[in-house]
Amino acid sequence: MAFTLNYTLLDRCLHRLAFGVPGLQLTAADLESRLYAAELRKVTAEHPVFIASLPRAGTTLLLEVLHRFPVFAAHRYRDMPFVMAPMVWARLSGAFRKRAELAERAHGDGMEIGFDSPEAFEEVLWHAFWPEKYHDGGIDLWRAGDGKDEAAAFFAEHLKKIVALRRPPQENGGEAQCGRYLSKNNGNIARLDLITAMFPGAKIVIPFRRPLEHAASLLRQHENFLALHDQEPFARRYMADIGHYEFGALHRPIAFPGRAELAKGRDRQRLDPGGLDYWLAYWIAAFAHIAGRQAGNPERILLLSYEDTCAGGRAALADLCARLDVDAGGKLDAAAALFRAPSPPRADARGADPALVARAMEVEARLRAAVVA
């Protein structure tokens, strides 16, 4: 998100308009549905793929890799700020279309993004239809019974809009358009039950990392975004508007079962996101919950080891494509080339509670067993 810091005054005014006027995005979406009704009737968006996990698990890398396959359609950064009306906004913004230059994102992890890079902004939709799930102190879980008919209809049409915008018509007379919506939204680990209920043909891909390394990376990013939010008020506003509550001054933990008990610990360190124990406890609660959901729906919720997938390269990607029913065609080698060997371990276990480390190893073993199965 580094490029947002270079937004022009007009960019920032449009952003404040899109997110500051209550109901404007939904109104724009409704107008768009009416304007493009005939076109959208010819579009199919079946079998979507949702990539989700705790942040820093490799979800952005997986998004970039899968986005290389033409069957997938995803949001892009240039869909901001009117993310609920992407077709209308694409037409309106065409006259001042920005160049697709790349810049390192705000995470400082070497990944470069630009206005044409894939990104899923659907957290805006979840927040619009389930505002009661979001609190100052955290975010509640969604259950299968939390579905809303209006939301389901809106999401179904929104997926078709992204396919219509990103996938060219087929060659059978240029009439029908079909594709698969591709999402990367870490917040979706809070709503695994509802997503599988709302989207019967969907699959959810959840990468995981070695817990100590993952927790240390989460802590570093929290510190990074604390500084960013303090130095750049617009960056903080931007992340709040699109629902990025993972780090920094905006951090709101998801209320995974058992997280509060894990966070109590022997002292107050686990209650402080400025400490390693906090993030290790969060990792345990999150992935224990994910493991439970995956065990009940192994065909729909797919677990991946980040380290093993990166090391596996082409073979690992071919296996993932098979599990997702993706015809890789001639794109497999180019997509697999994005994988790099994972960095050597650098987290220090001496900075963590041994009991938490042991518990995390148990959860990781459970995840790995599910991958093998």
Side-chain angles (χ1 to χ4, degrees):
M1 282 168 286
F3 64 90
T4 63
L5 305 183
N6 297 318
Y7 268 19
T8 65
L9 178 61
L10 176 60
D11 292 330
R12 298 187 182 211
C13 288
L14 283 171
H15 181 98
R16 292 186 176 95
L17 174 67
F19 288 95
V21 178
L24 179 59
Q25 294 256 15
L26 288 169
T27 300
D30 182 61
L31 174 63
E32 177 179 74
S33 295
R34 296 170 186 271
L35 289 174
Y36 292 95
E39 182 176 341
L40 290 172
R41 280 195 291 270
K42 303 173 185 177
V43 179
T44 59
E46 299 176 346
H47 308 295
V49 172
F50 296 86
I51 303 169
S53 187
L54 284 183
R56 312 302 301 152
T59 51
T60 298
L61 175 60
L62 277 177
L63 174 67
E64 291 279 357
V65 169
L66 291 179
H67 191 249
R68 294 298 194 272
F69 300 117
V71 69
F72 287 119
H75 268 291
R76 296 180 184 175
Y77 279 95
R78 66 172 69 256
D79 294 336
M80 284 289 289
F82 289 96
V83 296
M84 289 192 184
M87 298 174 75
V88 165
W89 178 239
R91 176 165 294 185
L92 291 176
S93 63
F96 49 95
R97 185 180 180 88
K98 295 181 180 295
R99 297 173 60 186
E101 297 177 345
L102 297 177
E104 186 177 3
R105 63 179 187 160
H107 299 71
D109 54 7
M111 292 205 69
E112 295 187 327
I113 56 174
F115 286 101
D116 283 326
S117 296
E119 179 61 34
F121 294 109
E122 75 200 25
E123 193 66 22
V124 177
L125 280 67
W126 293 105
H127 192 283
F129 286 99
W130 284 273
E132 69 276 8
K133 295 288 186 180
Y134 299 81
H135 314 282
D136 290 342
I139 301 171
D140 293 338
L141 291 176
W142 280 250
R143 303 298 182 186
D146 288 335
K148 299 179 180 181
D149 291 343
E150 182 185 7
F154 188 96
F155 267 85
E157 181 122 312
H158 187 78
L159 269 57
K160 291 171 67 174
K161 291 176 180 180
I162 297 301
V163 169
L165 189 59
R166 300 277 131 79
R167 292 269 298 158
Q170 293 180 326
E171 295 180 359
N172 55 350
E175 290 295 322
Q177 284 179 274
C178 62
R180 298 174 67 179
Y181 177 73
L182 178 63
S183 156
K184 186 224 76 173
N185 183 2
N186 292 323
N188 280 336
I189 55 174
R191 49 188 81 101
L192 299 177
D193 292 341
L194 182 57
I195 287 175
T196 52
M198 279 180 62
F199 305 99
K203 292 195 176 182
I204 306 172
V205 181
I206 304 179
F208 62 91
R209 289 176 63 184
R210 296 188 181 99
L212 200 58
E213 289 297 315
H214 199 167
S217 181
L218 291 166
L219 173 58
R220 287 192 295 271
Q221 287 307 313
H222 178 66
E223 294 169 343
N224 177 23
F225 278 92
L226 279 174
L228 177 64
H229 292 160
D230 181 60
Q231 297 164 10
E232 298 288 348
F234 181 73
R236 176 172 175 169
R237 164 72 184 267
Y238 177 95
M239 294 181 71
D241 287 338
I242 64 175
H244 278 208
Y245 300 121
E246 292 100 335
F247 302 119
L250 299 173
H251 176 55
R252 299 187 195 181
I254 298 171
F256 296 112
R259 192 192 74 85
E261 290 72 20
L262 284 166
K264 291 177 182 177
R266 296 173 301 178
D267 52 41
R268 296 191 61 81
Q269 184 183 8
R270 294 188 193 173
L271 300 173
D272 179 10
L276 181 61
D277 278 355
Y278 174 92
W279 295 102
L280 193 55
Y282 194 31
W283 189 99
I284 294 167
F287 283 102
H289 171 75
I290 289 168
R293 304 272 68 76
Q294 191 273 342
N297 206 343
E299 297 300 319
R300 304 277 306 282
I301 301 175
L302 312 180
L303 294 173
L304 294 178
S305 162
Y306 166 76
E307 292 87 359
D308 292 351
T309 301
C310 287
R314 188 183 192 280
L317 181 57
D319 178 68
L320 178 59
C321 287
R323 297 170 74 187
L324 295 176
D325 301 316
V326 172
D327 181 4
K331 301 290 185 179
L332 188 62
D333 289 331
L338 296 177
F339 287 124
R340 296 289 184 272
S343 302
R346 56 173 172 163
D348 188 352
R350 291 174 297 180
D353 184 335
L356 281 181
V357 174
R359 176 67 181 127
M361 295 301 106
E362 293 173 2
V363 175
E364 184 191 14
R366 185 179 174 188
L367 297 172
R368 289 186 174 277
V371 171
V372 173

